[in-house]
């Protein structure tokens, strides 16, 4: 796949504003996997997950004029669209907000040993890079970023006071940045 | 809140995660616009979360991309055409008859809409073609002008404004190989009603008629013009004469320049 082309974020954005399908193809090749990853965390039904991925990309394409690069990076915008779309879709179908593997891990104690059922994603490589993140730090990031939990929901799920969600999130992401060298 | 406080508060992390309320979002956006260090912090948070998401990527099935792209063009086409509701037809004849009337009406509506959008596209196409043609003419003219200016044989002579119009200016391009004379009169003031500019070459100390400087018919402006040729000239001047010009200069001299 188009390995010879490499767009900078700025160039990609301006080409998408010009509605270039080639740029959209590039966008898909680079980000579909990451967006699909979060959908698959929330949606068990593979057909429904596919539908949501399609809708998310169509939404990105159709609403691209609304994207404002001064408000955030392109990926941040796309993941917000994808997460909200997934939550709305699940809600409209009567699902509650949930993680994909939820049957056997309702209790707080579970995320210490089960890592919130994220194990299936934790195959080979990730894993070294963020392996040193404490389980509860990973959980707080994952609940918010991949599952769209609100502060209240995180507080309930993890059994921590509502007032500490913000500072714990900060601490967890600071740790993540150190590991990924974005500090 | 100062920048250090906002950075350490965790609010920026919540902002990137889409967890802030409208008021907090506005606050963070404002701080980010004002303080580069806040913006840099937000970008670093975004980058780290983006990489984190990449690490968790799950490649979708290959057919999905195709489906999305086929729907891309489909949604583009649909924009101008309303979706007609599907009518279910009952087995009874009277319902069938009613349904066919509805379908007919629907089809007429669609036809009218198609026709209208076709007409719109036609007139848009015409408009664009005209614009293109006009643009091509402008391009040709510019290419011509440029070739005069860029020619290795062209010797430019600046004509400077005199008392009658100190701000006026003009440029002569004298082609050394052919002796052709071009003038760029675009910086001359508008000639008054009933008057026209005339170019003179000063040859052996005497003015020789170089022709009238006319505006283009197309946009009524002074553009680069080809004038009469002189064998050689020591200087050039432009005077304002009665319309049609004069055999010898009678009016005020506007610009002048020596070779």
């Amino acid at each position: 796949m188009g390995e010879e082309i490499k767009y900078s974020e700025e160039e990609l954005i301006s080409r998408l504003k010009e509605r270039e399908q080639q740029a959209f193809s590039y966008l898909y090749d680079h980000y579909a996997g990451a967006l699909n990853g979060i959908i698959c965390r929330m949606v068990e039904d593979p057909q429904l997950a596919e539908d949501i991925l399609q809708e998310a990309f169509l939404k990105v394409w159709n609403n691209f004029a609304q994207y404002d690069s001064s408000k955030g990076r392109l990926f941040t915008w796309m993941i917000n669209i994808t997460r909200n779309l997934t939550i709305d879709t699940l809600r409209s179908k009567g699902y509650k907000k949930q993680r994909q593997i939820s049957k056997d891990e309702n209790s707080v104690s579970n995320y210490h040993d089960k890592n919130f059922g994220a194990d299936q994603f934790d195959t080979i490589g990730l894993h070294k890079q963020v392996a040193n993140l404490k389980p509860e730090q990973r959980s707080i990031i994952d609940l918010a970023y991949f599952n769209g939990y609100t502060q209240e929901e995180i507080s309930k799920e993890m059994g921590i006071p509502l007032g500490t969600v913000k500072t714990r999130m900060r601490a967890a992401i600071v740790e993540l940045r150190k590991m990924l060298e974005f500090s | 809140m100062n920048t250090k406080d906002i950075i350490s508060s965790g609010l920026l992390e919540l902002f990137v995660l889409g967890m802030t309320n409208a008021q907090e979002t506005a606050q963070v956006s404002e701080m980010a616009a004002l303080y580069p260090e806040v913006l840099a912090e937000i970008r670093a948070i975004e980058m780290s979360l983006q990489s984190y998401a990449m690490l968790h990527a799950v490649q979708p099935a290959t057919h999905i991309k195709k489906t999305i792209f086929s729907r891309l063009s489909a949604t583009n086409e649909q924009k101008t055409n309303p979706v007609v509701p599907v009518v279910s037809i009952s087995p009874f004849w009277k319902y069938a008859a009613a349904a066919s009337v509805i379908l007919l009406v629907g089809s007429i509506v669609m036809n009218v809409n198609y026709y209208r959008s076709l007409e719109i596209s036609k007139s848009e196409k015409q408009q664009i073609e005209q614009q293109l043609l006009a643009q091509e003419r402008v391009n040709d003219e510019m290419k011509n002008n440029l070739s005069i200016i860029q020619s290795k044989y062209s010797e430019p002579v600046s004509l400077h404004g005199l008392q009658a119009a100190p701000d006026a200016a003009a440029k002569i391009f004298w082609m050394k190989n052919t002796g052709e004379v071009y003038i760029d009169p675009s910086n001359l003031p508008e000639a008054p009603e009933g008057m026209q500019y005339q170019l003179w070459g000063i040859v052996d100390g005497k003015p020789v008629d170089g022709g009238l400087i006319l505006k283009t018919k197309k946009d009524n402006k002074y553009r680069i013009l080809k004038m009469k040729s002189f064998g050689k000239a020591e200087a050039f001047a432009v005077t304002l004469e009665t319309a049609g010009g004069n055999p010898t200069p009678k009016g005020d001299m506007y610009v002048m320049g020596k070779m």
Side-chain angles (χ1 to χ4, degrees), chain A residues 68 70-72, chain B residues 6 11-12 15 20-35 38-39 42:
Chain A
D68 176 357
S70 71
K71 297 250 151 56
Chain B
I6 202 168
L11 193 59
L12 303 184
F15 171 79
T20 43
N21 62 32
Q23 192 197 340
E24 291 166 332
T25 303
Q27 189 196 359
V28 172
S29 301
E30 195 183 319
M31 295 286 278
L34 284 173
Y35 303 105
V38 174
L39 185 66
I42 292 174

Side-chain angles (χ1 to χ4, degrees), chain B residues 137-138 141-142 145 148 171 173 182-188 212-227:
Chain B
R137 256 187 245 130
V138 172
E141 190 185 305
M142 275 168 75
N145 290 347
I148 295 165
K171 233 178 209 127
F173 297 97
Y182 293 87
I183 185 164
D184 174 9
S186 53
N187 290 311
L188 289 175
L212 288 169
I213 298 167
L214 302 173
K215 288 183 183 175
T216 58
K217 288 195 191 98
K218 196 169 44 185
D219 57 4
N220 200 31
K221 286 210 168 89
Y222 291 119
R223 303 272 187 214
I224 292 185
L225 275 182
K226 189 177 177 190
M227 308 302 288

Side-chain angles (χ1 to χ4, degrees), chain B residues 49-224:
Chain B
L49 286 174
Q50 180 171 341
S51 306
Y52 189 60
M54 293 293 186
L55 291 176
H56 290 82
V58 176
Q59 283 316 317
T62 43
H63 70 267
I64 299 181
K65 184 175 179 185
K66 242 188 205 159
T67 317
I68 292 173
F69 273 79
S70 69
R71 291 180 64 191
L72 221 57
S73 33
T75 49
N76 283 349
E77 279 159 22
Q78 265 171 22
K79 251 177 215 160
T80 46
N81 309 322
V83 177
V84 175
V86 177
V87 178
S88 64
I89 301 170
S90 128
F92 299 106
W93 283 110
K94 55 178 178 178
Y95 288 127
S100 65
V101 170
I102 292 169
L103 282 174
L104 177 64
V105 170
S107 134
I108 291 171
V109 169
M110 271 182 73
N111 274 318
V112 168
N113 272 315
Y114 275 125
Y115 183 72
R116 204 178 290 156
S117 60
L118 181 69
E119 286 298 298
I120 292 171
S121 325
K122 263 193 204 157
S123 78
E124 275 173 357
K125 181 170 168 254
Q126 238 167 23
Q127 242 175 4
I128 290 167
E129 277 174 347
Q130 270 167 10
Q131 281 170 0
L132 196 68
L133 213 66
Q135 197 56 47
E136 267 170 10
R137 256 187 245 130
V138 172
N139 273 351
D140 281 347
E141 190 185 305
M142 275 168 75
K143 259 189 234 155
N144 261 338
N145 290 347
L146 207 61
S147 73
I148 295 165
I149 294 167
Q150 285 181 333
S151 161
K152 62 178 173 180
Y153 299 111
S154 105
E155 185 160 340
V157 183
S158 292
L159 310 190
H160 301 288
L162 300 171
Q163 216 171 2
D167 290 337
K171 233 178 209 127
I172 296 285
F173 297 97
W174 185 64
M175 306 308 245
K176 280 182 262 187
N177 54 338
T178 57
E180 285 171 332
V181 174
Y182 293 87
I183 185 164
D184 174 9
S186 53
N187 290 311
L188 289 175
E190 184 88 27
E193 192 68 46
M195 306 289 272
Q196 278 173 335
Y197 289 113
Q198 192 170 355
L199 174 71
W200 305 93
I202 312 299
V203 180
D204 297 325
K206 278 183 198 141
V208 177
D209 175 26
L212 288 169
I213 298 167
L214 302 173
K215 288 183 183 175
T216 58
K217 288 195 191 98
K218 196 169 44 185
D219 57 4
N220 200 31
K221 286 210 168 89
Y222 291 119
R223 303 272 187 214
I224 292 185

